[in-house]
């Protein structure tokens, strides 16, 4: 009768261990099963994430032109387009770096702050994306998170400052596959909008712009040929004047 167990044989001065074929076969089948269960992107489990509308940036005293040079994925995620593994998976239809670039560029363009090309900006933005998608939640909801760091660089002086922005959003969990995808999409879009708003309307960007363009901000706004017209006595009481 065959004996099941681990047999040992002494070969020279070394001891060899023989593993039964059944164990090897079981490990191989288990590995194949894991790979078979790995979710794959299909039209049915793929979502399109984008801002519902551009985020209005803050107003600057002297509006600069921005240009996004790069958006670099620093998340360390080997599958950045897979945002949910359960229930057959939920995938993004584009790379997170592409989605983030589009959202920021559209928002800057809506306020006339986006440079036409790489040769014309006042400030260049290099964006490092640290998280895009879902984060650990309570188990009863979907917790969306988008986080990035931005290097703001003055093209002329080569000076730069780093700022950070992140956004979060929470949506209820769901049972049906379609509702799961809908909630995941809404959740990531909410976190993306929150992150873009925190970037473009935050104090960090305002302070970085002021520091990097300080020479431009201190430059005189009127030439010697300009004329200041003071309004009449009624307006003078309010200290009002206009430069033409």
């Amino acid at each position: 009768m065959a004996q099941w167990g681990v047999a040992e044989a002494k070969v020279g001065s070394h001891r060899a261990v023989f593993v039964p074929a059944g164990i090897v076969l079981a490990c191989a089948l288990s590995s194949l099963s894991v790979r078979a269960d790995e979710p794959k992107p299909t039209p049915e489990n793929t979502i399109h994430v984008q801002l519902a509308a551009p985020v209005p940036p803050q107003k600057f005293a002297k509006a600069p032109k921005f240009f996004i040079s790069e958006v670099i994925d620093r998340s360390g995620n080997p599958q950045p387009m897979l945002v949910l593994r359960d229930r057959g998976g939920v995938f993004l239809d584009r790379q997170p770096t592409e989605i983030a670039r589009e959202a920021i560029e559209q928002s800057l363009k809506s306020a006339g702050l986006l440079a036409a090309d790489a040769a014309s900006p006042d400030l260049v933005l290099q964006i490092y994306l640290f998280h895009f998608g879902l984060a650990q939640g309570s188990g009863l909801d979907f917790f969306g998170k988008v986080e990035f760091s931005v290097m703001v660089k003055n093209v002329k002086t080569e000076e730069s400052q780093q700022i950070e922005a992140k956004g979060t959003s929470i949506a209820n969990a769901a049972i049906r596959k379609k509702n799961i995808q809908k909630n995941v999409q809404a959740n990531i879009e909410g976190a993306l909008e929150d992150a873009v708003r925190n970037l473009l309307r935050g104090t960090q960007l305002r302070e970085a712009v002021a520091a990097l363009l300080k020479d431009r901000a201190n430059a005189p706004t009127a030439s010697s040929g300009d004329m200041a017209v003071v309004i009449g006595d009624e307006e003078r009481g309010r200290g009002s004047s206009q430069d033409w």
Side-chain angles (χ1 to χ4, degrees):
M1 180 179 297
Q3 297 293 324
W4 287 94
V6 177
E8 295 183 356
K10 195 169 183 181
V11 180
S13 60
H14 299 282
R15 178 173 295 175
V17 178
F18 298 97
V19 179
I23 296 178
V24 176
L25 180 59
C27 292
L29 291 176
S30 176
S31 177
L32 290 173
S33 176
V34 169
R35 287 197 294 269
D37 293 339
E38 187 73 13
K40 304 294 182 183
T42 67
E44 289 73 29
N45 66 2
T46 301
I47 59 176
H48 181 76
V49 170
Q50 64 179 9
L51 292 181
V55 175
Q58 61 188 293
K59 296 185 181 301
F60 300 93
K62 290 184 177 296
K65 292 290 186 179
F66 296 93
F67 180 79
I68 300 177
S69 61
E70 291 181 286
V71 183
I72 302 169
D73 189 344
R74 288 290 178 84
S75 66
N77 184 0
Q79 294 179 288
M81 296 174 67
L82 175 62
V83 293
L84 183 66
R85 189 175 299 274
D86 298 337
R87 302 290 298 275
V90 177
F91 290 83
L92 301 171
D93 64 349
R94 297 172 293 162
Q95 291 288 340
T97 51
E98 183 181 347
I99 300 172
R101 175 189 285 273
E102 177 187 83
I104 299 172
E105 285 183 342
Q106 286 182 348
S107 297
L108 289 171
K109 186 176 182 180
S110 70
L113 300 179
L114 183 66
D117 51 48
S120 59
D122 302 297
L123 299 170
V124 171
L125 306 179
Q126 188 170 43
I127 301 169
Y128 300 94
L129 193 61
F130 287 97
H131 195 101
F132 191 101
L134 298 180
Q136 187 65 38
S138 67
L140 300 177
D141 49 40
F142 296 119
F143 179 59
K145 182 180 178 182
V146 173
E147 181 177 3
F148 42 71
S149 176
V150 181
M151 187 66 69
V152 186
K153 182 179 180 180
N154 185 314
V155 176
K156 294 182 179 179
T157 66
E158 298 290 326
E159 294 180 317
S160 63
Q161 290 200 9
Q162 184 169 317
I163 63 178
E164 297 179 355
K166 66 180 179 180
T168 57
S169 179
I170 297 178
N172 294 330
I175 302 299
R176 297 180 60 188
K177 178 68 174 181
K178 288 185 178 180
N179 290 337
I180 289 175
Q181 292 185 188
K182 179 181 177 182
N183 288 356
V184 168
Q185 178 176 342
N187 203 28
I188 297 176
E189 288 178 340
L192 174 62
E193 180 180 355
D194 196 28
V196 174
R197 181 182 297 107
N198 287 334
L199 170 65
L200 300 183
R201 300 187 65 85
T203 58
Q204 290 188 51
L205 180 62
R206 182 172 69 246
E207 292 171 354
V209 170
L212 294 172
L213 299 180
K214 54 184 179 295
D215 294 337
R216 175 181 167 184
N218 293 331
T221 57
S223 65
S224 58
D226 291 334
M227 179 182 297
V229 178
V230 180
I231 310 302
D233 294 337
E234 182 176 322
E235 293 296 330
R236 186 181 295 111
R238 294 197 288 268
S240 175
S241 66
Q242 288 184 334
D243 289 338
W244 300 86

